[in-house]
Amino acid sequence: MQTKIIKSIESAFCIDDEYARDLLKLLVKSLATDSATGATVLDHARLKCEQVYYKFYGVQPRKLEYAILPMIPLIASNKKTRGLLTEELSGIVDASSDKVKRSDIQIAYLLAAFSYNSMLKNRKLELANLTEGMRNMLLDCSERPEGTPEIIAFEKSRIYAIQKLDRLQRKDREGISGKTPIDGLMQVLFQLFIEDCEENDAELSSFKGFYAGALGMNGTFEGGSFIKSLCEYVYKLREGLIKKEGFGNVGCDPRGLVLLKEGECSEDPILGRVCAKTVRLDGDVLSIRLDAKSGEYVFRFKRKQ
């Protein structure tokens, strides 16, 4: 089971999309342990800081169309299927298109987590058994958001998901082609259980690899030592072998890195211990190449006019 879980997380990184891979890294680094329940949660405060830093060293961020990629670290790091907490949901919503409904994310997460755990338990799982289990899980689900408008939206999304499950079981590909978290999940399941094809969307491709790993269908993926360590970290959180405290109200401002001189090292709240390999000023852009435990980064700061 351990190998299967780690391989499934590694396979989620096996996508030809730099931003999607980077976002997965930020999400894994933003996992924390809920002291009250022992569950692994998404630390929204840490994720926000990670995203602020990313703007200075990463590629151009974009809004997620299906909003299911952020679910992968949360699902993999929890043994039990549970609903999203308010802060976790907010973190996923912030990274997603304005067209994505919060209630669709909530329902898709329940379905995705249930599916993953079902696949881990039975690599010979058949689609009919999976969809029946997903449908029963939704019908029996007692979790509800707070507030009348939220409850109504949740119920609408639940009905929508049950309709999509019926279309998936009928092999109606066109009936699950919408740009929603629920449809995206159904499209991945269609490819895994009915008819495979090349998936060009980075989010769906990542989730497809994640599920394929849970079913023992994936090949060997070598993502490097840091990706391997991230996957092992997620597994340890899942098993309760380690616990991670939340980020809290610690301040994070990457502009403090501009004080580093070439060859100097310091402690950073997000990157940990960092050492400046090179510091270069090119016009009004200051570039700092840093060595950290998680890899090498090139931060670029533009001087204000």
Side-chain angles (χ1 to χ4, degrees):
M1 184 72 78
Q2 176 180 354
T3 300
K4 189 188 289 188
I5 292 170
I6 290 175
K7 285 293 183 184
S8 73
I9 306 166
E10 281 186 313
S11 297
F13 282 95
C14 189
I15 42 178
D16 189 23
D17 186 291
E18 186 175 355
Y19 176 66
R21 289 195 306 272
D22 287 346
L23 181 58
L24 273 179
K25 294 177 188 176
L26 304 188
L27 289 158
V28 170
K29 291 168 67 178
S30 301
L31 295 175
T33 305
D34 185 289
S35 57
T37 64
T40 304
V41 298
L42 182 62
D43 186 343
H44 192 207
R46 173 65 186 255
L47 179 58
K48 287 178 71 174
C49 283
E50 290 282 1
Q51 290 172 316
V52 169
Y53 272 59
Y54 187 76
K55 290 178 181 178
F56 289 90
Y57 71 81
V59 299
Q60 181 65 39
R62 65 173 185 277
K63 292 290 187 178
L64 301 175
E65 202 163 28
Y66 290 98
I68 60 174
L69 184 142
M71 300 177 185
I72 293 174
L74 274 173
I75 292 170
S77 59
N78 282 285
K79 283 186 175 182
K80 296 180 180 179
T81 300
R82 62 167 180 82
L84 290 166
L85 303 179
T86 302
E87 285 199 353
E88 294 172 323
L89 178 60
S90 296
I92 296 175
V93 169
D94 289 348
S96 306
S97 164
D98 294 337
K99 297 179 181 179
V100 177
K101 298 177 182 178
R102 297 171 66 93
S103 55
D104 282 353
I105 295 175
Q106 291 173 303
I107 292 294
Y109 179 76
L110 288 170
L111 291 173
F114 178 88
S115 301
Y116 182 70
N117 289 322
S118 299
M119 292 173 187
L120 287 176
K121 293 173 185 175
N122 182 9
R123 65 178 298 172
K124 295 182 180 180
L125 184 66
E126 295 184 358
L127 180 63
N129 293 332
L130 177 60
T131 53
E132 181 181 2
M134 294 166 77
R135 186 183 292 105
N136 291 337
M137 185 270 294
L138 284 182
L139 292 173
D140 296 338
C141 177
S142 59
E143 294 193 38
R144 295 289 187 282
E146 294 183 0
T148 301
E150 289 78 11
I151 292 175
I152 292 173
F154 185 86
E155 292 300 334
K156 285 183 177 179
S157 291
R158 180 158 67 160
I159 294 170
Y160 181 84
I162 292 172
Q163 293 172 338
K164 294 295 178 173
L165 283 169
D166 290 339
R167 291 173 184 175
L168 174 64
Q169 200 158 18
R170 295 201 306 267
K171 302 180 181 181
D172 176 12
R173 188 165 200 161
E174 289 301 313
I176 56 171
S177 60
K179 298 284 188 179
T180 76
I182 295 168
D183 286 274
L185 180 61
M186 299 300 156
Q187 291 169 43
V188 170
L189 293 174
F190 187 96
Q191 293 180 41
L192 287 172
F193 288 93
I194 299 174
E195 183 182 351
D196 195 15
C197 67
E198 183 178 355
E199 179 54 66
N200 295 319
D201 183 89
E203 270 197 271
L204 299 189
S205 178
S206 180
F207 223 97
K208 183 178 177 180
F210 178 59
Y211 270 177
L215 288 167
M217 296 165 54
N218 61 316
T220 302
F221 168 62
E222 295 297 335
S225 59
F226 181 61
I227 297 298
K228 181 77 172 178
S229 67
L230 283 181
C231 297
E232 292 172 347
Y233 169 69
V234 172
Y235 176 78
K236 289 177 181 177
L237 284 172
R238 178 187 178 91
E239 296 296 318
L241 299 175
I242 58 174
K243 297 186 184 300
K244 177 69 180 299
E245 290 187 11
F247 197 56
N249 295 320
V250 178
C252 54
D253 188 348
R255 290 173 297 183
L257 296 170
V258 301
L259 301 175
L260 283 173
K261 296 179 181 178
E262 200 164 296
E264 282 188 340
C265 299
S266 70
E267 290 293 328
D268 183 84
I270 292 297
L271 300 175
R273 183 168 177 78
V274 294
C275 295
K277 291 183 67 177
T278 60
V279 179
R280 297 285 184 270
L281 181 62
D282 184 9
D284 59 354
V285 177
L286 177 69
S287 297
I288 305 176
R289 187 176 298 274
L290 297 172
D291 259 348
K293 182 180 179 180
S294 53
E296 187 175 270
Y297 301 86
V298 179
F299 279 75
R300 296 179 176 84
F301 302 92
K302 189 172 183 179
R303 180 187 296 169
K304 291 185 177 179
Q305 301 296 326

